[in-house]
């Protein structure tokens, strides 16, 4: 029997989404793509519509609306924060019941997210807005903690600076302003504790937790994500506490149907939201849900968004206490002096340590590229995705590969 193909509108993509795209295509979806001309989605697109400015929600909405109608699309999907507002506008216009434009505008501004959480009694982080350096000095003096200065409207840790000494406030404030489009700066107390992220599948406003991962983040000057290990090594009661709290957050914000990625910190019984994203997690995190449980978030998401409800199944939590496999997604950075790459060595080590066919190693740089200081998540030079039955073995193999890769500049 020939499978009837279904058109789904795709608003932009991101790194490491080949598994997602292939999964949806194999499940009978054709991708009608709206993106910039150099889009990584181009090889997967049935039809392509281009935009000039990824941050212009009105342009994206107009072109996406045209594409949706011309191709009789059944639903819309997106993996990037830059399309959040247009996505909410389209959900309202076509009555898709994903989340509203108002919710999208809240999610696109970290200050408004904090204000909403505070109004709902769900915020546990001291914060303020800052229009001057003196306001940050005052906050740091009042809270008696280091602070995190961040643009209210950017993602991937761009412009996010940790300040532990008041003498560094002015430089950090100026740096954060450079990354901000709306020039609104959010200041938060720096929260101690282990960082985690949680992936949720939402059906008719009911959130279902798929996985919790433990994160390793470079918490020096810049908040750069380094490693995500799934599942997090937590007792069941901690999973339950996280789930109960985050489910309240998801309902308060107004998510109806889709996937949500939430970053948080946990210290003792205190859970603090770091960031909420109305999209699939970056990297291979959702791919790992499939490898660990057999549940494919991407095909279920596509069916949900296209209202093919008889093909939608509900996920079960991947539980560290019951499951016997770990995955790691590691983004590694260049640590030497700035310069133009002259030589890259030892990439063959991946083949020596590889144990599972699903494991992957990507190097984003080549000879002739310039490399320098790592300031945000997009400055990584490569990524590693591994699986293992033993946590210690997983970490050891990942470190072995990362330490082996030689990237040399100039006359090194």
């Amino acid at each position: 029997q020939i499978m009837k193909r279904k058109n789904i509108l795709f608003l932009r993509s991101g790194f490491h989404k080949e598994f997602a795209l292939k999964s949806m295509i194999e499940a009978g979806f054709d991708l009608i793509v709206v993106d910039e001309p150099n889009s990584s989605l181009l090889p997967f697109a049935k039809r392509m519509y281009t935009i000039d400015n990824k941050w212009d929600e009105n342009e994206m909405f107009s072109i996406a609306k045209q594409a949706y109608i011309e191709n009789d699309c059944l639903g819309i999907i997106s993996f990037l924060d830059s399309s959040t507002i247009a996505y909410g506008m389209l959900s309202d216009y076509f009555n898709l019941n994903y989340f509203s434009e108002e919710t999208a505008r809240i999610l696109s501004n970290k200050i408004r997210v904090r204000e909403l959480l505070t109004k709902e009694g769900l915020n546990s982080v001291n914060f303020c807005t800052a229009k001057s350096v003196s306001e940050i000095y005052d906050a740091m003096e009042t809270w008696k903690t280091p602070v995190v200065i961040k643009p209210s409207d950017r993602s991937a840790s761009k412009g996010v600076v940790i300040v532990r000494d008041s003498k560094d406030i002015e430089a950090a404030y100026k740096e954060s302003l450079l990354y901000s489009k709306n020039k609104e700066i959010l200041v938060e107390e720096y929260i101690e504790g282990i960082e985690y992220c949680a992936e949720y599948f939402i059906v008719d406003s009911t959130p279902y937790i798929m996985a919790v991962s433990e994160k390793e983040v470079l918490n020096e000057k810049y908040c750069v994500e380094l490693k995500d290990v799934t599942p997090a090594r937590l007792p069941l009661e901690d999973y339950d506490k996280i789930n109960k709290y985050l489910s309240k957050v998801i309902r308060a914000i107004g998510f109806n149907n889709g996937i949500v990625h939430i970053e948080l910190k946990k210290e003792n019984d205190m859970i603090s939201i770091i960031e909420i994203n109305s999209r699939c997690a970056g990297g291979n995190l959702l791919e790992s849900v499939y490898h660990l449980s057999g549940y494919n978030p991407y095909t279920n998401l596509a069916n949900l968004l296209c209202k093919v409800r008889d093909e939608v199944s509900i996920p079960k939590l991947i539980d560290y206490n019951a499951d016997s496999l770990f995955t790691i997604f590691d983004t590694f950075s260049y640590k030497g002096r700035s310069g133009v790459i002259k030589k890259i060595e030892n990439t063959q080590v991946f083949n020596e340590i590889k144990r599972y066919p699903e494991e992957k190693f990507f190097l984003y740089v080549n000879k002739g590229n310039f490399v320098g200081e790592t300031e945000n998540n997009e400055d990584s030079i490569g990524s590693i995705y591994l699986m293992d039955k033993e946590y210690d073995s997983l970490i050891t193999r990942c470190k072995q590969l990362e330490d082996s890769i030689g990237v040399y500049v100039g006359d090194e």
Side-chain angles (χ1 to χ4, degrees), residues 9-206:
L9 186 67
F10 211 122
L11 292 185
R12 312 206 62 232
S13 183
F15 290 131
H16 309 295
K17 291 298 181 285
E18 294 81 7
F19 174 81
L21 303 174
K22 290 176 181 177
S23 292
M24 288 187 285
I25 291 170
E26 289 172 2
F29 292 94
D30 288 327
L31 310 184
I32 309 301
V33 172
V34 175
D35 206 346
E36 295 174 301
N38 62 345
S39 172
S40 60
L41 286 171
L42 189 57
F44 300 91
K46 177 183 179 182
R47 190 173 181 187
M48 180 84 180
Y49 292 75
T50 59
I51 53 174
D52 293 325
N53 181 359
K54 65 183 179 182
W55 297 109
D56 185 340
E57 65 262 24
N58 293 313
E59 179 199 18
M60 192 180 297
F61 170 75
S62 177
I63 293 174
K65 181 177 71 172
Q66 175 191 351
Y68 188 93
I69 294 170
E70 288 181 354
N71 295 278
D72 295 320
C73 294
L74 298 180
I76 307 172
I77 196 168
S78 178
F79 290 162
L80 289 178
D81 296 313
S82 55
S83 55
T84 298
I85 294 176
Y87 194 78
M89 294 167 69
L90 291 161
S91 177
D92 284 348
Y93 185 87
F94 290 111
N95 195 29
L96 297 171
N97 197 33
Y98 301 159
F99 53 80
S100 68
E101 178 184 348
E102 175 60 17
T103 293
R105 292 191 181 277
I106 291 172
L107 290 166
S108 298
N109 188 308
K110 292 178 172 63
I111 296 170
R112 294 191 66 186
V113 171
R114 284 288 176 213
E115 291 172 343
L116 176 61
L117 292 177
T118 300
K119 178 183 175 183
E120 297 292 332
L122 295 168
N123 181 51
S124 60
V125 178
N126 285 318
F127 74 97
C128 67
T129 59
K131 295 182 179 178
S132 68
V133 170
S134 63
E135 290 176 299
I136 305 176
Y137 277 106
D138 291 343
M140 199 168 183
E141 178 65 25
T142 300
W143 301 335
K144 307 296 183 186
T145 67
V147 297
V148 182
I149 303 173
K150 59 178 71 173
S152 67
D153 56 351
R154 296 306 300 267
S155 59
S157 296
K158 290 182 177 178
V160 178
V161 186
I162 301 171
V163 176
R164 290 183 168 83
D165 191 317
S166 59
K167 67 178 176 60
D168 298 322
I169 287 177
E170 185 171 359
Y173 177 68
K174 290 178 179 178
E175 183 172 353
S176 195
L177 269 177
L178 285 175
Y179 280 95
S180 177
K181 301 187 301 298
N182 62 16
K183 302 307 176 185
E184 293 181 359
I185 299 301
L186 174 64
V187 182
E188 298 172 341
E189 64 171 320
Y190 177 75
I191 302 297
E192 301 292 345
I194 300 173
E195 189 164 334
Y196 300 92
C197 60
E199 319 309 325
Y200 276 87
F201 190 75
I202 302 164
V203 181
D204 296 333
S205 303
T206 300

Side-chain angles (χ1 to χ4, degrees), residues 110 144 169 206 221 227 257 287 289 344 348 362 407:
K110 292 178 172 63
K144 307 296 183 186
I169 287 177
T206 300
K221 178 181 178 182
K227 294 178 176 63
N257 290 284
E287 185 175 345
V289 170
I344 299 174
Q348 80 285 350
F362 293 100
V407 176

